[in-house]
Amino acid sequence: MIAKDSTEEAATVAALKEEVLRRLTITVCKDSSTASLRDWFIATALATRDRLAASWLASTKRNYREDRRRVYYLSLEFLIGRLLIDTLTNLGLTGAMRGALAELGVDLDRLREVEPDAALGNGGLGRLAACFMDSMATLEIAACGYGIRYDHGLFRQTIKDGWQHEYPEDWLSFGNPWEFPRPEITYDIGFGGHVEHTRLADGALAHVWRPGEKIVAVAYDTPVAGWRGKHVNTLRLWSARALDPLRLDAFNQGDHVGALTEQVRAEAISKVLYPSDSTPAGQELRLRQEYFFVSASLQDLIRRHMKQTGDIAKLAEKTAIQLNDTHPAIGVAELMRLLVDVHGVEWRQAWEITQATFSYTNHTLLPEALETWPVWLMEKLLPRHMQIIYLINAIHLDSLRERGVTDSGVLASVSLIDEHNGRHVRMGHLAFLGSHKVNGVSALHSELVKKTVFKDFHGLYPDRIVNKTNGVTFRRWLLEANPALSRLLAETIGPGVFDDATRLAGLEAFADDPSFQERFAAAKRENKERLAAKIFDSVGVRVDPEALFDAQIKRIHEYKRQLLNVLEAVAVYLDIKSQPSRDFVPRVKILAGKAAASYHQAKLIIKLANDVARVVNADPAMRGRLQMVFLPNYNVSLAETIIPAADLSEQISTAGMEASGTGNMKFALNGALTIGTLDGANVEIRERVGEDNIFIFGLTAEEVQESRARGIDARETIAASPRLSAALNAIASGVFSPDDPHRYAQLVDTLIYYDHFLVTRDFDHYCESQRRVDARWRDQKAWRRAASLNTARVAWFSSDRAIREYAADIWKVDVRV
C-alpha cells in the first residue's frame, strides 16, 4: 500500500529478482530449474532480510549515539507467526517481491504457505508480545525483546477420532532464515549449589553463590522491522547449551548415552514451551526455563548498559524492563543478586534501582495462572535467590508494621511467602513489590486486579496499579490477513490509514452508502470463500460461504466457555430436528484452539465439539442450515484466514475472568460483529462501536460473584430451561457418542452440580442473543452497516496507541513517530 511510481517500482522489482537469484545460487546452492518451493522461500526470506540489515545497524548505532533510554520486554512467549509477508509489508515491498518472483515463475502466496509458523507462544499473551514488538519498532523506541528460542515451541495439534493429540512442532527442522546466531554472546547460568558467607575488608558481610550446575545461554537475534522499515529493533531469544556437550571419558568407556546426559539436561530448558508441570520434574524444568532466560537477559542488558554508561548506578535512568506476566518475575530477585553480589551495590540503593527499573503487566485473575513455587524447590534450585526473597519480604513487612499496619490477615496476604498448604513463593507478589508500576490490560481487568488478587497491595500502594488496555498490530490484521478489505479502505479513505489507524474513522461516512456496502460485502465474501477452501482441505467438510460464519478461536479453557457455544449448537440442532419447516438462518460454527496437554476437561470439550460436528454435518435434515467444524492446530496463520472471514465473533467468557482479549479486537477490525459478555476489552469495544453494533449478554462480573456466593448447583436453573435440559439430556444420553453413551456423563454432571463458570446461568440469555444475531443477519443492509461501523470505530485498539501509553506513563521514553 506504499505508492511508488512505475519507474521506481520496476527498478525495485529488477533488484529484488537479482537478490533472490543471488541468494538461491550462493546461499541455497540451487539452480532455478531444480529449486523446490522451500528453496525459493529460503532465498526470498534471506533477500528480504538483507534489506533490513542497513536499517538495523543504523538503528543500533543511533541508539548508542543518542544515549537513548532503552526498553527491554521480557516474555516467555513471542507468538510471531510467519515473517515473510509481515516483513515485506513493513518494508513496503510486497508488490515488488510478488512481481519479481512472478518473473521467476514463483508464486509468493505459495511461498507464504511453505514458511513454518513459529509456535513460540500459546495465545493472546504471546501474540500481544509480538504486536508490541512491532509497534515499538514502528514508533522508533529503542527496544529489545527477550525470550526463549524453543526447539519445538507449543505442540502441534492433530485431531484423531475427535480427540486432541500432541506432537512436537518442528519449526526449526529446515533452519530459520530470519535469525542471526550470535555464538559470541553467551552467559553462564547457575543452578543449585550453596551460598558462602565472607567478610569484606570493610567488615561488611558478602554472599557468594557457588552453583552446583552451570549451563550456557546462547543468543539468537531476529530483526523486527517497524512500519516502512525506518527503525529496526531486536528480538533476542536464548538457546540452552551444556558447558561440556560430551563427556568423552564416558563415551570412550562405552557409555554412549550417559556421555550425553549433561547435554540433554541442559538443552531440555529450551526444548519445549510450557512443559507439563504435573510432576515434580516438570515443575522444576518450568522454573529452570524462567530463571534461564531472565538471568541471561539481565546479564545481557547490564553488559549493554555498562558499555553505554560505565555506571551501574544509572541503570534505572537508562533502562526500563517490562515483565510480561509472572513468568519473568524471578527477575526481581536476579537483578538484586547481580547488583548486590556482582556489582557491589548497597542493598537499599539496589532495591531503589530495581523498583525504578521494573514494571509488571498482570494478565490474569485466575489463581493458577499467578505462579507460585514451593519454597523447597526454590531453595534447591536457586538458594541465593531464596535468601534475597526472604530479605525483601522481611524488610517489606517490617516497613508496613512501622507504618502502623498490624492486621495479621493483611500482613499474611501481602507476604511474598504463602504459609498455607505448604510454603510457596508468590511470584505475582514479588513482581508487584519489585515494580514501580503494575498494569492491567483492560479497564475492567485493572479494576478487578485492585479488588481481587492485589486488593491489599492496592490499599497499601494506591498509585501503583494503572490500566493499559491491550492493542493489536492493525496493519498485520488488515494488510496481511485481509488484502481485500485493505484495498477497499485505501480506495475509500486513502492509503494513509495504514500510517495512522485513527483515520479509520473516515469510513463511518460510508456506512450507509449502498455501493460501499456492496463492496464491503464482496470483500467479506472473498475471505469466506478462502476459508471455505481451507475448511475443506483441513476437515473435508464443504461449507456455504453464503451462510453466517460464526467463529470462536482461542485457547480451550473452561472459563472461555467453548462449552456454552457447543451447547447452543446442540439446542439449535434439536430445534431443526423438531421443527423442520421453520425458517432458520444458515450458520457455520467454526471452532479452533489447543487444550493444555494435561487439561482433561478441556480435551473432553474438544472431543464433544468434534462429536457434535460429526453428527450435525452428517444429518440430511440440516440441509445446510447448521454446520460445525473444529479446525486443528490453531496458530497465527490459521487466525489470519479465519478472522477476515468471520461474520460473528464469539467472546463469551465468564464475566470477570478474561483479562482483555485481543482476538475480539482483530475480529471487530475486520468487520465481524461481537457476541459476548461484558468481560475484558468487550466493555471498551461496546463503548467504541456502540450498543447497536454488538450483542451483549449474560451476567456482569459483579453478578457472577453474587451468583457464586449463592451457590453453583445448577439443578434449578436447568429445570427452568427446557432447551438447556434437552441439550444436556442429548449429550448425556449418547446422541453424539453412540459408541460410548456415557462419555460425557462427568462433563454434564459438572455443569449440573458444580457450574463454576456459570454456563447454565448464561445459556438462555446467550440463546436469545443468538436469535437477535439471526434477526440482524436477515436484514443484510443493517448487518453490513454494523459491520463497517465496527471497522471504522476500533482504531483505538491499535497496539501503537497502547505502546504510546506505556512509553509516556510507565517507561518514560520518547516516541519518535
Side-chain angles (χ1 to χ4, degrees):
M1 294 295 172
I2 299 176
K4 295 182 178 180
D5 63 44
S6 58
T7 303
E8 182 184 1
E9 182 76 7
T12 304
V13 169
L16 287 174
K17 179 180 176 182
E18 181 180 341
E19 290 163 20
V20 170
L21 282 174
R22 182 175 61 84
R23 277 297 193 172
L24 184 69
T25 303
I26 296 175
T27 308
V28 184
C29 203
K30 285 289 186 74
D31 182 83
S32 59
S33 62
T34 59
S36 67
L37 272 178
R38 188 174 298 280
D39 296 329
W40 282 112
F41 161 68
I42 296 293
T44 303
L46 290 174
T48 304
R49 193 186 73 171
D50 290 346
R51 288 284 179 128
L52 287 175
S55 183
W56 194 13
L57 290 172
S59 299
T60 302
K61 290 179 181 178
R62 187 166 59 248
N63 293 339
Y64 277 108
R65 183 176 65 250
E66 298 177 2
D67 194 24
R68 300 184 68 190
R69 179 172 167 85
R70 299 170 186 268
V71 174
Y72 297 101
Y73 199 83
L74 271 61
S75 179
L76 200 60
E77 303 181 36
F78 284 95
L79 193 54
I80 53 179
R82 291 168 171 162
L83 289 178
L84 177 58
I85 300 299
D86 187 57
T87 306
L88 288 170
T89 298
N90 279 344
L91 294 177
L93 293 175
T94 306
M97 183 63 82
R98 188 180 300 279
L101 290 172
E103 292 184 11
L104 294 168
V106 179
D107 183 351
L108 177 60
D109 290 327
R110 292 186 67 192
L111 294 192
R112 180 181 192 169
E113 296 301 315
V114 169
E115 181 175 6
D117 203 316
L120 304 183
N122 185 39
L125 181 145
R127 185 56 224 164
L128 180 78
C131 285
F132 278 6
M133 288 298 298
D134 182 288
S135 285
M136 282 187 272
T138 293
L139 299 178
E140 298 187 28
I141 294 171
C144 179
Y146 282 120
I148 296 180
R149 181 182 181 267
Y150 302 102
D151 291 349
H152 299 290
L154 194 65
F155 61 83
R156 175 170 53 88
Q157 178 197 56
T158 64
I159 303 296
K160 296 181 180 179
D161 192 28
W163 291 103
Q164 170 180 295
H165 293 264
E166 304 92 24
Y167 297 93
E169 185 70 84
D170 295 325
W171 73 288
L172 288 173
S173 57
F174 288 91
N176 178 9
W178 300 108
E179 69 183 8
F180 288 80
R182 304 295 195 196
E184 75 281 8
I185 300 178
T186 63
Y187 297 97
D188 289 352
I189 312 297
F191 295 102
H194 64 280
V195 180
E196 295 178 357
H197 310 284
T198 61
R199 290 285 176 185
L200 301 178
D202 61 0
L205 182 65
H207 299 81
V208 181
W209 179 26
R210 305 293 187 189
E213 173 191 3
K214 285 187 179 181
I215 64 171
V216 177
V218 182
Y220 288 78
D221 289 352
T222 299
V224 179
W227 176 236
R228 296 188 181 271
K230 290 188 295 183
H231 185 87
V232 181
N233 282 327
T234 301
L235 174 61
R236 175 159 287 179
L237 303 178
W238 301 104
S239 185
R241 300 287 185 268
L243 281 174
D244 295 310
L246 177 69
R247 284 183 52 209
L248 193 58
D249 58 339
F251 191 89
N252 287 332
Q253 293 172 11
D255 187 4
H256 303 146
V257 174
L260 298 171
T261 300
E262 292 180 11
Q263 178 184 357
V264 171
R265 177 173 169 79
E267 294 182 359
I269 290 176
S270 56
K271 190 65 67 177
V272 175
L273 170 66
Y274 294 142
S276 174
D277 60 356
S278 58
T279 65
Q283 196 172 43
E284 178 176 328
L285 177 56
R286 188 81 70 89
L287 179 55
R288 284 165 65 89
Q289 280 186 329
E290 294 180 4
Y291 176 67
F292 162 79
F293 102 88
V294 166
S295 178
S297 303
L298 292 179
Q299 290 184 66
D300 192 51
L301 69 87
I302 288 175
R303 173 195 59 80
R304 189 177 292 109
H305 169 77
M306 294 301 289
K307 177 181 177 182
Q308 185 170 344
T309 71
D311 187 353
I312 194 66
K314 292 182 178 180
L315 184 66
E317 296 177 29
K318 294 296 183 182
T319 301
I321 304 175
Q322 190 71 33
L323 302 174
N324 192 28
D325 214 17
T326 54
H327 307 126
I330 191 62
V332 173
E334 173 67 356
L335 184 55
M336 287 296 292
R337 183 188 74 84
L338 292 170
L339 292 173
V340 174
D341 294 357
V342 178
H343 292 274
V345 180
E346 183 270 332
W347 178 275
R348 186 183 298 276
Q349 184 186 11
W351 184 243
E352 290 173 355
I353 292 171
T354 296
Q355 283 191 309
T357 302
F358 279 117
S359 48
Y360 158 54
T361 300
N362 173 275
H363 283 277
T364 184
L365 302 174
L366 295 174
E368 66 268 25
L370 283 174
E371 286 183 324
T372 64
W373 296 111
V375 167
W376 67 263
L377 178 59
M378 189 75 77
E379 290 176 333
K380 169 191 170 185
L381 211 58
L382 302 171
R384 177 56 180 147
H385 299 76
M386 196 64 242
Q387 289 181 344
I388 290 170
I389 290 169
Y390 277 136
L391 185 52
I392 293 171
N393 198 41
I395 294 172
H396 162 56
L397 295 179
D398 285 346
S399 69
L400 293 181
R401 294 186 184 97
E402 291 172 5
R403 288 169 51 183
V405 180
T406 57
D407 186 297
S408 60
V410 171
L411 292 173
S413 74
V414 298
S415 172
L416 300 186
I417 310 299
D418 183 358
E419 304 288 354
H420 302 92
N421 302 315
R423 304 177 73 230
H424 285 73
V425 180
R426 294 161 162 161
M427 303 308 289
H429 285 38
L430 180 62
F432 186 106
L433 202 60
S435 299
H436 64 281
K437 289 295 181 185
V438 175
N439 71 279
V441 290
S442 71
L444 174 63
H445 172 245
S446 295
E447 289 306 306
L448 290 174
V449 166
K450 296 175 183 177
K451 296 175 181 177
T452 58
V453 292
F454 293 133
K455 178 182 177 180
D456 288 322
F457 269 116
H458 178 60
L460 297 168
Y461 308 98
D463 298 325
R464 192 165 300 186
I465 299 175
V466 296
N467 178 58
K468 293 288 169 277
T469 298
N470 284 342
V472 300
T473 313
F474 74 98
R475 286 171 289 269
R476 178 161 192 157
W477 296 98
L478 286 176
L479 284 170
E480 299 171 42
N482 198 342
L485 179 57
S486 296
R487 288 192 298 270
L488 178 58
L489 293 176
E491 293 166 5
T492 305
I493 55 179
V497 67
F498 302 112
D499 295 304
D500 180 3
T502 62
R503 298 187 186 185
L504 281 170
L507 201 66
E508 191 160 345
F510 299 88
D512 291 304
D513 183 329
S515 174
F516 174 79
Q517 285 193 359
E518 286 295 328
R519 297 170 71 198
F520 193 89
K524 179 67 71 172
R525 170 70 188 227
E526 182 180 326
N527 293 322
K528 292 174 76 171
E529 289 175 349
R530 182 160 58 104
L531 176 57
K534 179 73 171 180
I535 289 171
F536 181 72
D537 289 343
S538 297
V539 296
V541 176
R542 294 194 182 277
V543 299
D544 181 6
E546 293 296 331
L548 188 158
F549 277 21
D550 173 352
Q552 186 178 19
I553 52 172
K554 53 186 73 238
R555 178 167 52 97
I556 309 298
H557 196 291
E558 288 171 277
Y559 90 82
K560 293 180 183 289
R561 299 203 297 191
Q562 285 90 353
L563 187 54
L564 177 59
N565 191 355
V566 174
L567 277 173
E568 197 267 342
V570 170
V572 171
Y573 171 75
L574 296 176
D575 287 345
I576 296 174
K577 296 282 284 184
S578 62
Q579 305 171 61
S581 61
R582 181 176 148 194
D583 182 23
F584 288 87
V585 168
R587 185 183 295 237
V588 179
K589 279 189 172 285
I590 301 157
L591 291 92
K594 298 178 181 179
S598 58
Y599 193 172
H600 171 73
Q601 198 80 337
K603 296 175 85 167
L604 192 61
I605 291 170
I606 290 176
K607 173 61 174 171
L608 175 62
N610 279 280
D611 277 351
V612 171
R614 176 177 47 79
V615 171
V616 167
N617 295 337
D619 194 330
M622 294 300 101
R623 290 181 293 148
R625 291 176 290 183
L626 178 65
Q627 292 179 286
M628 186 170 172
V629 293
F630 187 98
L631 296 178
N633 203 37
Y634 178 59
N635 55 23
V636 176
S637 300
L638 184 55
E640 289 173 342
T641 302
I642 295 173
I643 288 172
D647 297 302
L648 187 68
S649 162
E650 299 267 355
Q651 308 296 331
I652 59 178
S653 53
T654 309
M657 301 198 72
E658 185 72 84
S660 170
T662 52
N664 47 6
M665 302 169 190
K666 296 163 193 166
F667 277 110
L669 177 66
N670 281 273
L673 274 60
T674 300
I675 182 168
T677 53
L678 282 175
D679 195 26
N682 288 353
V683 176
E684 291 154 287
I685 289 176
R686 182 182 68 164
E687 293 172 357
R688 301 282 167 174
V689 306
E691 292 188 13
D692 293 339
N693 303 309
I694 191 171
F695 302 95
I696 296 296
F697 75 94
L699 301 174
T700 64
E702 294 77 12
E703 290 168 341
V704 165
Q705 295 303 318
E706 293 170 4
S707 183
R708 285 175 175 163
R710 292 195 301 269
I712 53 178
D713 186 308
R715 282 176 288 185
E716 289 186 12
T717 300
I718 295 169
S721 173
R723 296 184 80 239
L724 177 56
S725 297
L728 289 172
N729 287 336
I731 293 170
S733 64
V735 169
F736 303 100
S737 55
D739 58 316
D740 182 2
H742 303 294
R743 178 178 296 143
Y744 301 111
Q746 177 264 331
L747 189 66
V748 172
D749 282 349
T750 298
L751 287 178
I752 294 172
Y753 300 109
Y754 194 77
D755 186 13
H756 179 73
F757 299 100
L758 303 176
V759 171
T760 57
R761 283 292 307 275
D762 278 349
F763 177 82
D764 281 345
H765 197 188
Y766 176 58
C767 291
E768 292 169 11
S769 294
Q770 290 285 20
R771 304 296 73 79
R772 289 194 290 123
V773 170
D774 290 342
R776 182 73 63 89
W777 181 257
R778 287 189 172 96
D779 183 350
Q780 278 294 294
K781 181 179 179 181
W783 185 278
R784 292 170 184 175
R785 179 180 188 276
S788 60
L789 286 176
N790 266 262
T791 298
R793 294 175 175 177
V794 294
W796 189 79
F797 296 102
S798 164
S799 54
D800 291 354
R801 183 271 315 158
I803 290 300
R804 287 183 190 276
E805 293 184 4
Y806 275 94
D809 302 337
I810 297 178
W811 302 332
K812 307 301 181 184
V813 296
D814 294 331
V815 171
R816 298 294 177 88
V817 179

